[in-house]
Amino acid sequence: MAERGTKQHPYIPKLVEQVRAGKIDRREFLWTSTLLGLSATSAYGVLGLSDPFAKRAAAAPAANSIYRLSMRIPALDNPHAYSWATDSLCARLVCDYLTRTGVDNVTRPWLVEKWNASEDLKTWTLYLKKGVKWSNGDPLVADHVIWNMKRWLDEKVGSSILGLMASYMTVEVDAGEKDSKGQPKKSKKIWSDNAIEKVDDFTIRINGRVPQLAVPEHLFHYPALILHPSENGKFGKGSIGTAPYSMVEYDVGKKVVAKARQGYWGKPVAIETIEIHDLGDDAGATIAALAAHQVDGMYEANVSQIEVLKKMDHLKMYQVTTAQTGVARMQPQHAEWKDPRVRKAMRHALDTQKLLQIAHAGLGAPGEHHHAAPVQPDYAKVLFTHDVPLAKKLLAEAGVPSGFKTEIFCKKDPLWESVAVQAMAEMWKEIGVEVKVNVLPSTQYWDIWNAPTAGFAFTPWTHRPLGVMLYGLAYRTGGVWNESFWSNKDFDDNLTKAEGTYEVEKRREIMKVLEQILLEDGPINIPLFRAVVTFHDKRLKGFEAHPTLYFFAEDWSLEA
């Protein structure tokens, strides 16, 4: 009897030919071939390399070992609607994902053993690992996963996964209501009764409406935690999970404590207790706690902290280049941002090389106003210049030759965000646009970040493995996280095309089109792409800096 899931996608041999002939680079090969189902070990083997993230031997469990982190602790009760990585970092101690995208940007199986994609990328077959058990003793089965997937795609849940999967998993239907203008409201629903199909107890088939290449990466989007259906989507102290820890203490804004559990299906963890301490927005509080050994590591260092932290001999610095950024987004439904020439003028006024130096000490890369970053394998280089005379000309053509006055909202913490906004405001003065900068506490900012009344605001966006993932979340018409409420049918159509294209050269050409649309018509200004920096106690082994600042405590151990 043939081993399940052994069929190979027919494009993989072509990819092997292309990388060996130098027609595509190693990064493109690794990313595309593994998404199409080639194992990471085999993909690295084609390049004559060993997989640097192959399963490692388990470290010896250390009794009474504790590792303490400084990180914000938001409300954790509804994982499928999480908005930030910090939420998921607490929950992922208890719950797992179907896949895992590593620091090398390669997505590997996790709760699934493997996957296969049909030649047209519409059908994806997921093979669950057998022997995985929940913390209550139940075996993980297909019904559990299907329940989660259907919940992700339920508009009432409010999950950003819906934005990622909308093109291939949903259709628009009449909601049976009218909007304020008397127009029919639209809603999304799963496009077909067999869109998510149970093949057997350990096999699930996703039948997409249109092709999609990045399904395995979508399964690692941070709200895509696999929850036990009996808890009805809720999460907290004592929740059931498949990950190696149980949450024994949880206090929003204060503390999370997770302890290693018995019966975990994977390798035994080496650190018995993980504590997360919320020390607030004050960067100095974390520095003081690290210096006093009250905590052992941190989520992320502010740029202003780095030199001080380097002087602490017991700490090690970790740095990684990312697509993390901040987006000064303009909502076109507001009169001042309605004309695309005005939005484009704002972009041409910015010197992103200077902004990187001013706001982030040169750590990272200059911003590109289409939001795709050089570290992402689907990035295409499209020229866009800092050009003040052109910006002034565009404003004159838009009927505001002398500029105008406006205001922008941003967060107080981390400091680089308000510094970047202040520096951009100075540059906008050169074209006659006076921008009043309103710096808000984080809690106040998140109340208005995607409100239609906040016409101009600066929102941080974390790293995604692909530019098209960002596009689906932030710029597709009607997306849950489309904070600018921008809509462009040509963009939507090309995005759907890019998502379903596995040929590297063809996808790159479509990405150029998407990037150009954002540069000409888009709603965003991007000052920089950040290199992220964190510090941990030198005793910690197995930690690697992830571009999304994810951590995986089951890989850690403490040196005696």
Side-chain angles (χ1 to χ4, degrees):
M1 185 174 180
E3 184 183 354
R4 65 179 188 151
T6 54
K7 186 178 179 181
Q8 187 182 75
H9 192 278
Y11 188 61
I12 289 175
K14 178 70 172 177
L15 282 167
V16 173
E17 290 177 14
Q18 289 177 321
V19 73
R20 286 176 173 167
K23 293 181 179 178
I24 61 173
D25 64 28
R26 290 181 170 189
R27 183 177 70 167
E28 290 171 322
F29 170 76
L30 285 169
W31 172 67
T32 309
S33 64
T34 52
L35 285 181
L36 291 176
L38 189 66
S39 72
T41 299
S42 297
Y44 272 102
V46 168
L47 302 176
L49 304 170
S50 58
D51 181 358
F53 302 100
K55 193 170 183 179
R56 298 161 188 166
N64 302 317
S65 54
I66 301 174
Y67 197 75
R68 299 157 300 178
L69 282 157
S70 169
M71 188 178 77
R72 299 310 304 269
I73 300 172
L76 304 175
D77 57 302
N78 188 5
H80 291 163
Y82 284 170
S83 295
W84 310 109
T86 50
D87 313 32
S88 71
L89 288 175
C90 295
R92 75 178 62 222
L93 294 166
V94 176
C95 297
D96 279 318
Y97 296 81
L98 294 172
T99 62
R100 179 175 288 187
T101 303
V103 298
D104 59 349
N105 217 45
V106 170
T107 300
R108 296 168 172 80
W110 193 249
L111 288 179
V112 297
E113 178 181 78
K114 63 180 73 174
W115 59 79
N116 284 337
S118 63
E119 184 171 1
D120 64 2
L121 299 186
K122 288 184 178 182
T123 302
W124 289 77
T125 306
L126 311 176
Y127 301 92
L128 290 178
K129 286 179 179 174
K130 294 181 178 178
V132 175
K133 288 194 174 183
W134 296 91
S135 54
N136 69 347
D138 291 348
L140 175 71
V141 293
D143 286 335
H144 297 153
V145 175
I146 290 169
W147 178 88
N148 278 268
M149 289 180 170
K150 288 181 176 179
R151 191 170 188 272
W152 299 343
L153 298 172
D154 182 348
E155 275 194 327
K156 297 185 185 70
V157 173
S159 178
S160 60
I161 305 172
L162 182 59
L164 279 180
M165 295 185 168
S167 65
Y168 64 102
M169 291 301 291
T170 70
V171 288
E172 276 198 345
V173 295
D174 193 324
E177 301 175 32
K178 304 279 187 182
D179 63 20
S180 58
K181 297 178 181 178
Q183 299 298 313
K185 281 187 177 180
K186 298 291 186 182
S187 65
K188 291 183 174 67
K189 73 168 190 176
I190 297 175
W191 79 278
S192 169
D193 289 341
N194 74 334
I196 304 170
E197 178 187 353
K198 177 182 175 180
V199 177
D200 59 42
D201 281 345
F202 296 97
T203 311
I204 300 145
R205 186 166 292 133
I206 295 173
N207 298 300
R209 186 173 62 86
V210 295
Q212 171 60 247
L213 174 62
V215 169
E217 288 176 332
H218 292 179
L219 300 176
F220 189 57
H221 181 42
Y222 48 78
L225 288 150
I226 300 300
L227 311 176
H228 196 286
S230 69
E231 297 186 319
N232 200 31
K234 297 300 181 183
F235 179 84
K237 177 182 173 181
S239 279
I240 302 166
T242 56
Y245 290 91
S246 293
M247 190 171 290
V248 298
E249 189 175 337
Y250 160 49
D251 196 351
V252 176
K254 293 182 180 179
K255 189 177 182 182
V256 159
V257 178
K259 288 190 174 291
R261 68 175 178 88
Q262 297 297 314
Y264 173 54
W265 58 273
K267 67 183 182 184
V269 297
I271 300 179
E272 186 175 80
T273 304
I274 303 294
E275 292 184 359
I276 300 173
H277 297 263
D278 189 332
L279 302 178
D281 280 341
D282 182 3
T286 295
I287 289 180
L290 285 164
H293 297 270
Q294 293 169 344
V295 296
D296 306 301
M298 66 194 311
Y299 174 62
E300 180 185 3
N302 285 340
V303 174
S304 59
Q305 296 175 303
I306 292 173
E307 292 307 314
V308 174
L309 290 164
K310 279 182 177 179
K311 294 176 182 177
M312 298 187 192
D313 291 340
H314 69 290
L315 297 179
K316 178 180 178 180
M317 185 176 91
Y318 298 84
Q319 179 178 327
V320 61
T321 302
T322 78
Q324 293 203 32
T325 186
V327 174
R329 91 294 185 278
M330 305 160 282
Q331 294 178 341
Q333 75 266 33
H334 293 266
E336 63 191 354
W337 307 121
K338 188 173 183 179
D339 193 316
R341 292 170 295 189
V342 173
R343 304 195 297 267
K344 187 177 178 183
M346 297 292 280
R347 291 188 278 275
H348 277 299
L350 298 179
D351 185 335
T352 55
Q353 290 278 0
K354 284 186 179 179
L355 288 168
L356 178 65
Q357 295 297 325
I358 294 168
H360 218 255
L363 296 173
E368 300 192 31
H369 303 298
H370 46 64
H371 208 153
V375 298
Q376 292 167 319
D378 57 348
Y379 164 85
K381 184 66 177 175
V382 177
L383 182 65
F384 191 86
T385 58
H386 168 227
D387 192 331
V388 170
L390 177 55
K392 290 180 176 179
K393 180 174 180 288
L394 287 166
L395 289 182
E397 291 173 357
V400 283
S402 300
F404 55 92
K405 292 183 179 180
T406 188
E407 62 179 349
I408 189 170
F409 299 94
C410 66
K411 290 198 291 99
K412 178 182 178 181
D413 182 75
L415 181 62
W416 78 266
E417 293 180 23
S418 59
V419 172
V421 173
Q422 294 283 1
M424 286 190 288
E426 287 299 314
M427 292 177 182
W428 286 321
K429 282 182 182 177
E430 292 186 68
I431 62 171
V433 179
E434 293 185 31
V435 181
K436 178 186 176 185
V437 178
N438 298 312
V439 182
L440 304 178
S442 294
T443 51
Q444 290 184 28
Y445 181 81
W446 294 126
D447 285 339
I448 59 96
W449 77 280
N450 63 348
T453 53
F456 197 21
F458 186 78
T459 304
W461 278 81
T462 194
H463 175 93
R464 299 300 190 296
L466 299 178
V468 290
M469 287 181 71
L470 282 164
Y471 290 175
L473 287 166
Y475 307 110
R476 177 176 265 128
T477 300
V480 177
W481 285 354
N482 185 341
E483 58 177 320
S484 68
F485 304 100
W486 178 70
S487 177
N488 183 302
K489 186 178 185 303
D490 192 24
F491 181 88
D492 293 345
D493 291 345
N494 276 282
L495 176 56
T496 298
K497 191 186 300 183
E499 289 172 332
T501 301
Y502 53 74
E503 296 95 334
V504 174
E505 301 93 334
K506 289 182 181 178
R507 188 175 59 247
R508 192 182 295 121
E509 291 306 310
I510 302 169
M511 278 299 294
K512 286 180 182 177
V513 172
L514 288 165
E515 292 173 12
Q516 195 64 52
I517 291 171
L518 281 167
L519 292 175
E520 293 296 322
D521 183 63
I524 53 174
N525 306 273
I526 294 185
L528 55 90
F529 292 113
R530 301 196 304 127
V532 296
V533 177
T534 187
F535 286 80
H536 286 273
D537 194 292
K538 289 177 180 176
R539 295 177 302 129
L540 182 67
K541 305 302 175 185
F543 176 87
E544 290 167 298
H546 195 283
T548 322
L549 286 173
Y550 292 156
F551 58 71
F552 309 104
E554 62 268 28
D555 292 335
W556 296 352
S557 61
L558 287 173
E559 192 173 65

